[in-house]
Amino acid sequence: MPHTPFPHRQSIRLDGWDYAGPGWYFITTGTWQRRRVLARVDRRRMRLTRSGRIVQRVWEALPAHFPNLTIDGFVIMPDHIHGILCITRPCRAERARAGGQQAVDATSGSLGAVVRSLKGNSTRLIRRRWPEVGRVWHRNYYERVIEHAEGLERARRYVAQNPEKWIRSRG
């Protein structure tokens, strides 16, 4: 039997969904080893660290790099972020065949390209300031396709309420 390096990993992507096409997405990504480097709780309020402020600026700049992108709710927690974004029109991506499936070029405006940009640019800016930091982000991210207005409102509530839940659960 051939050895697979990550036998427990399964794709969380929605089968058959075009992640380069228009749609609303809820994303979550965590810091490397769940290090609490993005924010801290001070007097029962979430306060961004300098690294967290860098991540905030990179998030806010995403539409300037991806003209087919609109950003929505976003929150920075001590060891992860949640964000809602919308790809407003199809990407002008070069498409290539890969393993019998369509693969979207990494330079496109696909969801994967947007998340890579967020994580890559924030890592580069954080390391420029603090070269000793090492890894910033966990290697993958979670996404959920938001298919209707109720789902969008639920995601917005979740993002808005997440800091208070964190503070309540951790004293």
Side-chain angles (χ1 to χ4, degrees):
M1 176 171 226
H3 172 72
T4 55
F6 302 104
H8 62 283
R9 289 195 180 180
Q10 293 182 343
S11 176
I12 60 170
R13 306 299 176 244
L14 191 58
D15 192 34
W17 186 265
D18 179 5
Y19 287 90
W24 284 90
Y25 302 94
F26 174 79
I27 63 164
T28 299
T29 192
T31 58
W32 177 249
Q33 297 179 338
R34 298 194 63 95
R35 293 183 302 183
R36 295 179 179 181
V37 296
L38 302 177
R40 61 185 169 76
V41 176
D42 179 32
R43 295 185 212 159
R44 302 204 40 85
R45 297 210 49 201
M46 199 66 68
R47 307 276 186 202
L48 297 184
T49 64
R50 286 185 254 176
S51 295
R53 287 191 296 273
I54 288 171
V55 172
Q56 177 88 40
R57 285 194 307 273
V58 171
W59 171 265
E60 291 169 352
L62 285 172
H65 302 286
F66 298 95
N68 66 327
L69 183 74
T70 301
I71 57 174
D72 199 281
F74 180 66
V75 68
I76 298 174
M77 304 299 291
D79 64 357
H80 66 281
I81 62 173
H82 298 292
I84 301 168
L85 47 84
C86 179
I87 296 176
T88 58
R89 61 184 182 277
C91 305
R92 293 187 312 256
E94 297 273 331
R95 294 186 185 263
R97 299 298 265 167
Q101 294 181 324
Q102 287 285 333
V104 178
D105 184 297
T107 60
S108 74
S110 69
L111 182 64
V114 171
V115 175
R116 273 191 300 280
S117 177
L118 171 66
K119 291 167 76 170
N121 288 333
S122 60
T123 297
R124 186 172 43 261
L125 292 170
I126 290 168
R127 284 185 184 161
R128 185 179 296 160
R129 189 123 191 208
W130 302 282
E132 70 282 359
V133 163
R135 292 180 116 173
V136 176
W137 298 106
H138 179 67
R139 93 177 256 289
N140 210 345
Y141 65 96
Y142 168 81
E143 57 72 23
R144 186 176 74 231
V145 176
I146 301 172
E147 298 186 81
H148 47 77
E150 296 83 19
L152 179 58
E153 287 310 310
R154 265 196 314 274
R156 286 175 173 156
R157 271 193 311 277
Y158 184 86
V159 167
Q161 295 170 355
N162 204 247
E164 184 57 36
K165 286 181 191 175
W166 175 285
I167 291 167
R168 270 196 320 262
S169 71
R170 289 164 176 83

